[in-house]
Amino acid sequence: MFALLLLALLLAACARAPAAVTFHDSGYPEHLSDWGLYAREGERLVGRQGVVAFAPVTPLFSDYALKWRTMWTPAGMPARWTPTDAFDFPVGTIVAKTFYYPRSGDAVAIGKAPPLSATLDTRGMRLIETRLLVRRAEGWVAIPYVWNEDGSDATLARTGAEVPLTLAPAGMRFTYTVPNQNQCAGCHAQDNRTRALSPIGLKARHLDHNGQIAMLERAGYLAGVPASRPAANVDWSDERKPLAARARAYLDINCSHCHAERGPARTSGLWLDAATEDPRVLGLCKPPVAAGRGTGDRPFDVVPGHPDRSILAYRLESTDPGAMMPELGRALAHREGVALVARYIADLKGACEPLVPRT
């Protein structure tokens, strides 16, 4: 009887999962497998035909999660190159980001990203969630899925989820939060004028490394790439690169989707995208627009030579929901990232005039 039941469940699963990538132009399919992005081959997830992997040179921090990023676009419909914004992808594009952790070993010390491969080896790994960003006729739509315990499939989680985790042997215990569908706009609505969602990592400055731009061109996924291109961001962890370039790349990917000229946090006057050069707009000796506990009782966003007096460093190291930055996507402080930004601030030259008390 049990064998018959198991067979029925397996047949139902096979009937549900399409044999090729399937774009859904409306609605919210109940399972990740309904999109047909991956085939399960033993303990490997294998991207189906047309699925390619990508990785930004400096990734956004998400509680030390490892991330596998893939995309798929309709055949013969490449994205168009843009110099600063996300590439202009066609309707039918599916961008996926899978978050996962080792079941044993130090998750903090393990590599920051898997190889640029359309296959993910899940041996010894716990899959947590896969977030889809789907380009429909009305624009980009975010759809979150949470993996079941055995990693056989992921289920729609529009209201989000909470997953208690321990990073062993580091021993850090925390609750990993899968954002609900509305919260995705907190990062992906990068233009405050339109509030339309768009990808964060699929920009020239993040992807122009390890031959990824050429790979996307060969795959027919990207067109209009100029022969001469602006310098790309650097790997934040590469100590061979200049300290300032590493810190700016880290702040760009983690902060500039809000803190930029058109971003939701533009009124703060603190813009942290790679193109900003004005020291004042980068926070040097700039008092905060809004006071409160988010300042940590520090006078300026950035005090050259003094990370311990800089609001930027305080908010990156805080885990207080009312003070920490970014506001979403993490429960832990990124120790290595905080240390990098602190070194960057400590290396800055100059001095700030003390604030004059109001009378």
Side-chain angles (χ1 to χ4, degrees), residues 186-205:
C187 293
H188 285 280
Q190 301 170 68
D191 189 331
N192 204 54
R193 299 170 303 179
T194 66
R195 300 299 296 166
L197 275 60
S198 63
I200 293 174
L202 287 167
K203 299 173 183 174
R205 63 183 183 272

Side-chain angles (χ1 to χ4, degrees), residues 86-170:
F87 299 143
D88 184 12
F89 285 92
V91 170
T93 299
I94 307 170
V95 178
K97 182 162 62 172
T98 297
F99 298 69
Y100 63 103
Y101 290 92
R103 291 186 180 274
S104 62
D106 190 346
V108 176
I110 289 176
K112 292 178 275 311
L116 281 173
S117 169
T119 296
L120 177 65
D121 188 343
T122 65
R123 287 177 297 178
M125 299 295 175
R126 180 179 178 182
L127 300 171
I128 303 296
E129 62 163 322
T130 294
R131 302 176 191 174
L132 299 187
L133 203 58
V134 179
R135 181 66 170 87
R136 290 176 169 167
E138 67 271 24
W140 290 97
V141 179
I143 309 177
Y145 291 88
V146 174
W147 286 88
N148 52 26
E149 182 62 31
D150 64 7
S152 59
D153 204 349
T155 302
L156 180 66
R158 295 183 67 190
T159 59
E162 293 188 343
V163 183
L165 289 175
T166 300
L167 300 187

Side-chain angles (χ1 to χ4, degrees), residues 4-311:
L4 291 174
L5 177 61
L6 180 61
L7 178 61
L9 290 173
L10 289 173
L11 289 174
C14 292
R16 184 181 68 229
V21 177
T22 300
F23 173 70
H24 298 270
D25 61 5
S26 62
Y28 302 97
E30 187 65 22
H31 296 92
L32 179 64
S33 58
D34 294 330
W35 296 86
L37 292 168
Y38 315 118
R40 172 64 83 169
E41 296 183 2
E43 295 192 80
R44 300 189 308 159
L45 286 177
V46 180
R48 289 218 166 89
Q49 184 175 2
V51 172
V52 299
F54 69 95
V57 63
T58 286
L60 189 148
F61 173 72
S62 303
D63 285 340
Y64 293 103
L66 304 179
K67 302 175 187 178
W68 182 48
R69 302 168 179 83
T70 66
M71 75 171 86
W72 179 89
T73 67
M77 299 176 64
R80 303 300 303 179
W81 168 278
T82 58
T84 56
D85 294 335
F87 299 143
D88 184 12
F89 285 92
V91 170
T93 299
I94 307 170
V95 178
K97 182 162 62 172
T98 297
F99 298 69
Y100 63 103
Y101 290 92
R103 291 186 180 274
S104 62
D106 190 346
V108 176
I110 289 176
K112 292 178 275 311
L116 281 173
S117 169
T119 296
L120 177 65
D121 188 343
T122 65
R123 287 177 297 178
M125 299 295 175
R126 180 179 178 182
L127 300 171
I128 303 296
E129 62 163 322
T130 294
R131 302 176 191 174
L132 299 187
L133 203 58
V134 179
R135 181 66 170 87
R136 290 176 169 167
E138 67 271 24
W140 290 97
V141 179
I143 309 177
Y145 291 88
V146 174
W147 286 88
N148 52 26
E149 182 62 31
D150 64 7
S152 59
D153 204 349
T155 302
L156 180 66
R158 295 183 67 190
T159 59
E162 293 188 343
V163 183
L165 289 175
T166 300
L167 300 187
M172 289 186 289
R173 291 179 173 83
F174 68 104
T175 298
Y176 180 98
T177 300
V178 178
N180 64 51
Q181 191 171 25
N182 291 331
Q183 286 176 314
C184 294
C187 293
H188 285 280
Q190 301 170 68
D191 189 331
N192 204 54
R193 299 170 303 179
T194 66
R195 300 299 296 166
L197 275 60
S198 63
I200 293 174
L202 287 167
K203 299 173 183 174
R205 63 183 183 272
H206 300 314
L207 287 190
D208 202 354
H209 70 106
N210 289 343
Q212 287 190 90
I213 297 298
M215 178 273 291
L216 291 174
E217 284 187 290
R218 289 194 301 271
Y221 276 29
L222 185 61
V225 180
S228 178
R229 305 192 292 270
N233 285 356
V234 303
D235 180 348
W236 74 278
S237 65
D238 187 351
E239 296 192 358
R240 297 169 299 178
K241 302 298 183 181
L243 173 61
R246 293 167 54 208
R248 289 294 306 277
Y250 182 86
L251 293 170
D252 187 5
I253 193 69
N254 282 282
C255 309
S256 73
H257 42 271
C258 285
H259 284 275
E261 185 176 6
R262 290 178 290 162
R266 74 193 190 289
T267 56
S268 70
L270 178 66
W271 300 348
L272 298 172
D273 58 296
T276 295
E277 297 180 354
D278 184 339
R280 184 76 167 185
V281 179
L282 286 169
L284 272 68
C285 301
K286 187 188 80 61
V289 170
R293 69 180 186 180
T295 67
D297 293 324
R298 301 181 181 189
F300 302 105
D301 288 340
V302 175
V303 179
H306 298 279
D308 58 323
R309 295 174 55 199
S310 300
I311 297 170

